[in-house]
Amino acid sequence: MASDAVHDLNSLISSEGRDFLIRNNGDQVKNSSLIGKNVGLYFSASWCPPCRGFTPVFAGVYEELASKGDFEVVFVSGDNDEESFKDYFSKMPWLSIPFSDSETKERLNEIFEVSGIPRLVVLDADGKVSTEDGVRIVREHGAHAYPFTSDQIKFLKEKEEEAKRNQTISSILVSTSRNYVISNDGNQIPVSELEGKLIGLYFSVNGHEPCDEFTPTLVEAYKKLKEKGENFEIVLISLDDEDEDFKEAFKTMPWLALPFKDEKCEKLIHYFELGDIPTLVIIGQDGKTLNANAAELIEEHGIDAYPFTPEKLEKLAEIQKAKLESQTLESLLAFGETKFVIGKNGAKIPVSELVGKNILLYFSAHWCPPCRAFLPKLTEAYNEIKQKDKDFEVIFISSDSDQDSFEEFFSEMPWLALPFVDERKKFLSRRFKIEGIPALVALNQSGRTVSTDARKLITAHGADAYPFTEERLKQLEEQLEEEAKGWPEKLKHQLHEQHELVRTRRSSYVCDACDEMGYSWSFFCEECDFDLHPKCALENDGAKKEKEGWVCEGDVCRKA
């Protein structure tokens, strides 16, 4: 966002006794030569991986704009030593504040409130800030964003919307300098040969665990579709930072790719509004986007998801609904010869012995701080529930990275587990769409899913949440509503004396007294974003009760 402040460029980049900037060959350039130009202040450092990734992209854009003669960039280094600065600066075609001038660098960081790098602040010819979000703009639009004004960005977004309406596979993949994609044996294949095919654009990073796990599944599906003679192709859009990583991953893939660090890679991230990886964008035979991300469909259904049309997805949804309706504990946990869970000392308990019980599937890991923090609360609830109902059990599904960590964490638990190496873990994570841990999935006595958010229920209600059904949740809400009627609408508390706390409905929050999650009701200060659990707010030594007939505000109490 551009600010209304106008800066004197010469004052910004000069210091006492220095009226010049430097090039990476040591040449000095007078600060006055930048007057009347659009100037980018580039805050960056060699120790910062995102900076190292962005600098080559920005250098390419700079070279494109150099011929205009009215744009310059000044590097404001965040490096810790001169050797690192020189090595990093040697890769930059623009100017820099001398490394030794720490006072000017600190001043620029303060003026533009730099809290993260890389950061690109662009000033126009009059010293007014055109944008403080230059890094994102360069990534999304490249040299076309120049002169980085809000009007230019608006114009580009309008063009982008028009391009989406008229999208073709060529408009997606072809650049001004390239009209081909590559195979992993080095051949160039014209993009025109992809016209009329169903195309999957595969956004991936080598070494990123979800991508590494998904790629073999996609390879298998791709080969099966090719064997069937389907008119289908995949193009890798690599987001790797290193050429070696790109080559290592691409050699395992039987499909095509954009060249490493191609200018289109960054632009397509923005164009398709990429939120996560791996992502498989499906482009229809008409060149229009058919599915924004078919990765999950491939994982769940394999080639049965092909050709990813709305009609096919509707059929898959019906199949999935039927699976859920017929779900049993054995259909979830009995795979081939693997029909058991384990107890302490590795004892094998047949899944058949758990049929007819209410079950919690506990997705967790020792390395995860929220998991370790949640374990005592879950253990307390487990013990309390078991005293009331023996037909209840918890099964730990570990995301630990090694056997020792699994065993250490499992030793703290009074329940059962899947073995550390077990194919069912991946299946269950995908089945219940586990995106974060700790997570608790509740199954009823017939094996049907009653809640995929039982962690929230345990946190809010403890053992009282059992058996985690909608009916039980409704009962608890009604009880809480009735209880809340006896609470004051407002109160003062010694932990937050500057404002009154108001009884407020809150979907979720962290209590500022006990640091635990809270749900439903809070005593809340909106101005300070301060929350207290009702139990914390209403403790006798915390809440300050006002005398009847008096109202207290700040440091004064007055008669009502």
Side-chain angles (χ1 to χ4, degrees):
M1 180 183 292
S3 70
D4 294 327
V6 177
H7 302 275
D8 178 73
L9 180 63
N10 195 50
S11 298
L12 280 178
I13 60 177
S14 299
S15 62
E16 187 176 351
R18 181 184 60 77
D19 62 352
F20 62 87
L21 299 165
I22 59 171
R23 295 196 181 280
N24 56 19
N25 62 1
D27 288 350
Q28 297 181 359
V29 177
K30 290 290 185 181
N31 295 342
S32 57
S33 66
L34 274 62
I35 303 301
K37 291 186 177 184
N38 293 292
V39 175
L41 300 175
Y42 181 42
F43 300 85
S44 185
S46 64
W47 50 260
C48 161
C51 298
R52 295 197 304 271
F54 177 69
T55 293
V57 175
F58 187 29
V61 170
Y62 176 85
E63 298 290 1
E64 283 188 63
L65 297 174
S67 60
K68 293 181 178 292
D70 61 353
F71 179 60
E72 191 50 82
V73 173
V74 178
F75 174 38
V76 185
S77 174
D79 282 303
N80 298 318
D81 59 84
E82 190 162 10
E83 185 178 346
S84 299
F85 162 77
K86 286 180 177 178
D87 181 61
Y88 191 37
F89 186 38
S90 69
K91 302 174 178 67
M92 301 178 183
W94 43 71
L95 307 175
S96 177
I97 304 288
F99 179 76
S100 58
D101 192 353
S102 56
E103 183 179 330
T104 299
K105 291 186 292 183
E106 288 175 10
R107 177 161 44 82
L108 289 170
N109 275 273
E110 288 176 6
I111 290 172
F112 295 105
E113 299 177 351
V114 177
S115 58
I117 55 175
R119 178 90 178 276
L120 177 61
V121 177
V122 181
L123 307 177
D124 68 14
D126 297 320
K128 185 177 179 181
V129 176
S130 297
T131 183
E132 295 180 350
D133 198 15
V135 171
R136 179 185 62 80
I137 291 171
V138 167
R139 280 177 172 155
E140 291 179 1
H141 304 290
H144 298 298
Y146 188 75
F148 309 105
T149 59
S150 56
D151 287 342
Q152 179 66 8
I153 303 308
K154 181 181 178 182
F155 169 72
L156 291 173
K157 286 183 176 178
E158 289 172 352
K159 280 190 65 177
E160 192 174 274
E161 290 303 315
E162 183 182 354
K164 285 183 178 180
R165 290 192 293 271
N166 301 310
Q167 176 180 295
T168 65
I169 194 63
S170 291
S171 72
I172 293 170
L173 295 179
V174 172
S175 70
T176 53
S177 60
R178 177 192 47 74
N179 63 356
Y180 60 86
V181 290
I182 60 173
S183 61
N184 59 14
D185 59 6
N187 290 328
Q188 296 181 359
I189 293 86
V191 172
S192 57
E193 292 189 11
L194 301 180
E195 298 283 355
K197 292 187 175 185
L198 195 72
I199 305 294
L201 303 178
Y202 181 38
F203 294 83
S204 180
V205 172
N206 187 19
H208 180 56
E209 187 174 345
C211 296
D212 293 346
E213 290 180 352
F214 176 66
T215 296
T217 303
L218 185 58
V219 168
E220 182 183 354
Y222 176 85
K223 288 180 177 178
K224 287 180 179 178
L225 289 171
K226 285 293 188 180
E227 288 169 4
K228 291 179 67 177
E230 298 291 356
N231 196 22
F232 178 62
E233 191 52 76
I234 293 176
V235 179
L236 171 67
I237 315 296
S238 172
L239 307 183
D240 289 307
D241 288 326
E242 303 295 337
D243 188 34
E244 285 304 311
D245 291 332
F246 167 73
K247 289 177 179 176
E248 180 183 289
F250 190 33
K251 71 182 180 183
T252 68
M253 301 174 181
W255 46 73
L256 308 174
L258 288 185
F260 174 68
K261 284 290 184 183
D262 189 88
E263 65 181 273
K264 276 283 185 173
C265 293
E266 283 280 351
K267 291 178 181 178
L268 291 175
I269 292 172
H270 164 69
Y271 185 80
F272 289 110
E273 299 177 359
L274 207 68
D276 198 10
I277 53 173
T279 288
L280 183 68
V281 178
I282 303 298
I283 306 299
Q285 293 176 315
D286 60 357
K288 303 297 187 288
T289 303
L290 188 59
N291 191 292
N293 189 4
E296 190 173 296
L297 293 172
I298 291 285
E299 282 191 323
E300 289 188 11
H301 306 286
I303 63 171
D304 290 338
Y306 188 84
F308 314 105
T309 59
E311 295 77 17
K312 173 60 82 169
L313 300 192
E314 193 174 318
K315 289 181 180 178
L316 292 176
E318 291 174 2
I319 294 170
Q320 186 67 12
K321 182 180 178 183
K323 280 184 180 179
L324 291 174
E325 289 175 350
S326 61
Q327 176 179 294
T328 65
L329 188 65
E330 289 175 308
S331 71
L332 292 174
L333 295 179
F335 279 24
E337 297 300 314
T338 312
K339 298 179 179 179
F340 62 87
V341 295
I342 59 173
K344 300 306 176 184
N345 301 317
K348 294 182 179 180
I349 293 89
V351 172
S352 58
E353 291 187 9
L354 301 177
V355 172
K357 294 187 176 186
N358 290 301
I359 302 290
L360 284 179
L361 302 177
Y362 178 40
F363 298 83
S364 186
H366 185 267
W367 53 260
C368 162
C371 298
R372 296 197 302 272
F374 179 65
L375 180 58
K377 183 175 285 290
L378 179 58
T379 301
E380 180 184 356
Y382 173 83
N383 291 331
E384 191 173 334
I385 295 169
K386 287 289 273 187
Q387 288 178 0
K388 301 174 184 175
D389 188 354
K390 297 298 182 185
D391 289 332
F392 168 67
E393 196 51 77
V394 174
I395 300 172
F396 171 41
I397 300 167
S398 171
S399 295
D400 283 302
S401 54
D402 59 79
Q403 181 81 32
D404 288 343
S405 297
F406 161 74
E407 291 179 358
E408 181 183 348
F409 201 31
F410 184 39
S411 69
E412 301 174 30
M413 303 174 186
W415 44 73
L416 308 175
L418 294 187
F420 175 67
V421 178
D422 197 301
E423 61 180 336
R424 293 173 291 181
K425 295 197 295 185
K426 186 176 180 181
F427 164 75
L428 292 168
S429 293
R430 189 166 62 240
R431 178 66 172 267
F432 295 110
K433 300 186 185 336
I434 304 300
E435 296 179 351
I437 55 175
L440 273 177
V441 174
L443 309 175
N444 65 15
Q445 292 176 321
S446 63
R448 296 276 295 275
T449 305
V450 293
S451 176
T452 57
D453 199 13
R455 175 199 175 190
K456 175 180 175 180
L457 301 180
I458 289 284
T459 302
H461 306 291
D464 289 339
Y466 184 75
F468 315 107
T469 58
E470 287 291 332
E471 293 77 11
R472 181 56 182 157
L473 183 58
K474 186 178 179 182
Q475 290 174 359
L476 291 170
E477 286 294 324
E478 289 173 353
Q479 289 175 16
L480 194 58
E481 284 293 322
E482 194 62 33
E483 187 179 351
K485 291 177 182 178
W487 300 337
E489 290 188 12
K490 298 179 180 180
L491 57 78
K492 296 295 293 291
H493 197 280
Q494 64 183 17
L495 293 180
H496 193 72
E497 295 186 335
Q498 57 268 49
H499 301 112
E500 283 187 312
L501 301 177
V502 181
R503 189 184 69 196
T504 308
R505 268 283 190 184
R506 300 270 279 158
S507 57
S508 64
Y509 60 91
V510 175
C511 176
D512 287 286
C514 64
D515 290 327
E516 293 186 4
M517 288 296 298
Y519 303 94
S520 298
W521 287 103
S522 163
F523 280 90
F524 178 55
C525 174
E526 184 175 9
E527 183 177 342
C528 302
D529 193 25
F530 182 92
D531 285 279
L532 290 181
H533 286 140
K535 63 181 177 65
C536 294
L538 298 171
E539 286 177 347
N540 291 333
D541 60 344
K544 294 186 175 181
K545 297 181 180 179
E546 296 170 359
K547 185 177 179 179
E548 187 176 352
W550 289 72
V551 175
C552 298
E553 296 177 348
D555 58 354
V556 177
C557 293
R558 298 185 177 89
K559 285 187 177 180

